[in-house]
């Protein structure tokens, strides 16, 4: 498959694969061929429309070298590495300029925090060791880790991840820090938006079972395209109903929160794990969804029926809508705004309506079935 900046539809030659009969939209630009091949080998028909440029990471070498030279030799107290590709690109560029050794020496004297395993890998490849990294892989948790600390007078280097982190810089500055943003690259939208427009229309017409996303900027570009053609509400409604928004990791999924879109995230932030998740999830949704709950209980959703341990239970529309969202994301946190958006019209006045729906669900399914995650939302307690 030749990667082109145009919508392509790929019909699988595999009959009887787990994803046979399913249609999946792919928005990736980088490594799109790998993802498409994984889906095709499982029988899926793939509709590809890159949300970003096929070569999305534009490096301003002059500006990057200038900030690198400014950092070298200074006393750097902390270095925040946010992405693997950004850290690797910076270090590779510094190596070309003959500045790698002094840069690593400068950063090596600092306290190093990494957002996730990819940035950890990029650091260790060059002999640097992170002091701490959050299990969530979310940058918000890095900031939370720093929130209670006195950063007065601390010089902090922040490697940006394709989108401006100026708000992060402002937050750290309010704690007294001096922040140096290192803009390694900027993400650019696809040069031809027409394939993305057609993908949005295909989704709104109910002709997709899932859409995959591998970066937060891709989510932003997709929703911007939906708004541009006047179909944003239809897209959100499709994801809230039965189309899976499959995100490679929690950072990508977080970009959907402002739209109230429920997402599914694999255990490992890898493309293969995301495809494997779809291989399991989509057939279950078609045949009726069985979930093994904590405590040995079984929950089955089939059409409008809810069956707990073999006995049908009756739910009013609001609790049923909340349960549908939680079951679609078993074991994962679904935010209150996302659940609020799922409630039937006329019942979604405020997040208090979500709390009432959760309370009714607990009264029917058991108090331990739905867990509250403080400041984040709720999740279904599934068997480990």
């Amino acid at each position: 498959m030749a990667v082109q900046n145009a919508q392509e539809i790929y019909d699988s030659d595999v009959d009887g694969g787990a994803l046979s009969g399913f249609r999946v939209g792919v928005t990736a630009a980088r490594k799109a061929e790998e993802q498409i091949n994984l889906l095709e080998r499982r029988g899926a028909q793939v509709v590809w429309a890159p949300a970003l440029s096929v070569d999305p990471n534009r490096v301003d070498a002059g500006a990057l070298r200038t900030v690198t030279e400014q950092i070298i030799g200074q006393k750097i107290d902390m270095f925040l590495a946010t992405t693997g590709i950004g850290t690797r690109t910076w270090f590779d560029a510094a190596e070309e300029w003959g500045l790698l050794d002094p840069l690593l020496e400068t950063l090596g004297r600092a306290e190093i925090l990494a957002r996730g395993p990819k940035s950890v890998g990029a650091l260790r490849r060059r002999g640097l060791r992170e002091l701490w990294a959050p299990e969530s892989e979310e940058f918000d948790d890095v900031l939370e880790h720093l929130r209670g600390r006195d950063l007065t007078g601390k010089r902090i280097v922040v490697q940006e991840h394709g989108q401006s982190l100026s708000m992060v810089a402002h937050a750290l500055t309010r704690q007294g820090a001096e922040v140096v943003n290192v803009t390694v690259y900027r993400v650019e939208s696809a040069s031809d938006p027409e394939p993305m427009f057609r993908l949005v229309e295909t989704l709104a017409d109910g002709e997709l079972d899932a859409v995959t996303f591998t970066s937060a900027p891709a989510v932003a570009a997709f929703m911007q395209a939906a708004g541009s053609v006047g179909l944003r509400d239809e897209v959100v409604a499709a994801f809230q109903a039965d189309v899976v928004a499959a995100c490679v990791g929690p950072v990508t999924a977080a970009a959907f929160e402002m739209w109230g879109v429920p997402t599914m995230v694999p255990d490992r932030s890898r493309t293969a794990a995301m495809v494997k998740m779809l291989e399991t999830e989509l057939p279950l949704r078609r045949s009726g969804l069985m979930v093994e709950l904590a405590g040995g209980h079984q929950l089955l959703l089939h059409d409008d029926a809810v069956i707990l341990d073999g006995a049908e239970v009756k739910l009013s529309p609001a609790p049923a809508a909340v349960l549908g969202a939680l079951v679609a994301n078993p074991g994962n946190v679904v935010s209150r705004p996302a659940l609020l958006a799922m409630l039937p019209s006329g019942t979604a006045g405020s997040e208090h309506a979500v709390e009432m729906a959760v309370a009714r669900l607990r009264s029917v399914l058991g108090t331990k079935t739905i867990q509250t995650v403080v400041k984040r939302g709720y999740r279904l307690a599934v068997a480990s």
Side-chain angles (χ1 to χ4, degrees):
M1 182 201 74
V3 176
Q4 304 170 10
N5 192 14
Q7 186 189 56
E8 301 283 355
I9 298 177
Y10 299 89
D11 289 307
S12 173
D13 295 327
V14 178
D15 292 325
L19 293 179
S20 291
F22 293 98
R23 209 167 188 225
V24 180
V26 171
T27 62
R30 295 178 63 251
K31 299 183 179 179
E33 184 172 358
E34 172 192 345
Q35 185 180 157
I36 291 170
N37 287 339
L38 287 170
L39 289 164
E40 284 185 320
R41 285 203 296 267
R42 288 158 174 81
Q45 183 188 59
V46 177
V47 182
W48 177 55
L52 305 174
S53 168
V54 174
D55 181 23
N57 301 328
R58 308 291 186 179
V59 179
D60 184 341
L64 182 59
R65 179 164 186 167
T66 297
V67 73
T68 301
E69 291 173 341
Q70 290 173 350
I71 289 170
I72 289 173
Q74 291 190 24
K75 181 181 182 298
I76 302 300
D77 298 291
M78 189 179 299
F79 170 41
L80 308 185
T82 65
T83 64
I85 187 173
T87 304
R88 288 196 307 273
T89 299
W90 185 21
F91 291 168
D92 289 348
E95 188 170 39
E96 291 181 9
W97 303 325
L99 299 174
L100 180 62
D101 288 344
L103 176 62
L104 294 180
E105 183 179 350
T106 298
L107 297 177
R109 292 193 292 265
E111 175 184 349
I112 299 177
L113 306 182
R115 180 177 64 83
K118 292 182 181 179
S119 49
V120 166
L123 291 167
R124 294 184 180 182
R125 177 172 171 263
R126 294 295 190 173
L128 297 178
R129 301 288 296 191
E130 78 290 350
L131 183 65
W132 181 83
E135 292 184 4
S136 66
E137 303 180 30
E138 295 188 25
F139 198 62
D140 284 349
D141 287 336
V142 177
L143 295 180
E144 183 66 29
H145 180 72
L146 297 175
R147 197 153 285 136
R149 293 176 55 175
D150 181 6
L151 301 179
T152 302
K154 301 291 185 183
R155 184 177 290 117
I156 301 177
V157 171
V158 179
Q159 174 253 313
E160 294 190 338
H161 54 56
Q163 293 179 302
S164 173
L165 291 178
S166 60
M167 294 300 291
V168 170
H170 286 308
L172 294 175
T173 300
R174 290 186 68 186
Q175 291 179 244
E178 176 188 338
V179 179
V180 180
N181 282 328
V182 178
T183 304
V184 181
Y185 59 86
R186 281 281 183 257
V187 173
E188 296 185 359
S189 297
S191 57
D192 178 11
E194 185 59 32
M196 182 56 58
F197 291 158
R198 292 200 297 270
L199 181 65
V200 166
E201 291 166 350
T202 302
L203 172 60
D205 289 341
E207 297 177 7
L208 292 175
D209 298 289
V211 184
T212 65
F213 299 89
T214 54
S215 71
V219 172
F222 182 82
M223 296 305 293
Q224 182 179 17
S228 297
V229 295
L231 291 174
R232 186 175 290 154
D233 289 346
E234 289 81 354
V235 163
V236 171
F239 282 135
Q240 291 175 345
D242 54 6
V243 179
V244 176
C247 297
V248 74
V251 175
T252 303
F256 268 123
E257 288 183 358
M258 66 181 293
W259 307 109
V261 170
T263 57
M264 293 201 69
V265 179
D267 292 336
R268 297 179 68 247
S269 298
R270 299 290 184 272
T271 298
M274 178 175 65
V275 172
K276 182 68 175 175
M277 176 184 72
L278 289 177
E279 185 180 13
T280 301
E281 178 67 21
L282 291 182
L284 281 174
R285 289 189 175 214
R286 181 164 290 180
S287 61
L289 187 58
M290 174 73 76
V291 178
E292 297 285 341
L293 300 176
H297 300 289
Q298 284 190 336
L299 183 67
L300 173 66
L301 272 65
H302 194 281
D303 294 329
D304 293 330
V306 178
I307 301 169
L308 180 65
D309 294 334
E312 185 173 0
V313 297
K314 299 295 184 181
L315 294 174
S316 57
V322 169
L323 179 61
L326 295 174
V327 168
N329 300 272
N332 296 314
V333 177
V334 182
S335 69
R336 287 180 177 84
L339 292 174
L340 181 63
M342 297 289 289
L343 295 184
S345 59
T347 65
S350 68
E351 290 187 9
H352 179 66
V354 173
E355 296 168 2
M356 293 298 295
V358 168
R360 294 190 189 102
L361 272 179
R362 285 171 170 160
S363 69
V364 173
L365 303 180
T367 57
K368 296 182 179 180
T369 301
I370 300 172
Q371 299 173 334
T372 300
V373 182
V374 178
K375 296 183 179 180
R376 294 184 63 192
Y378 300 96
R379 66 181 168 206
L380 198 65
V382 298
S384 56

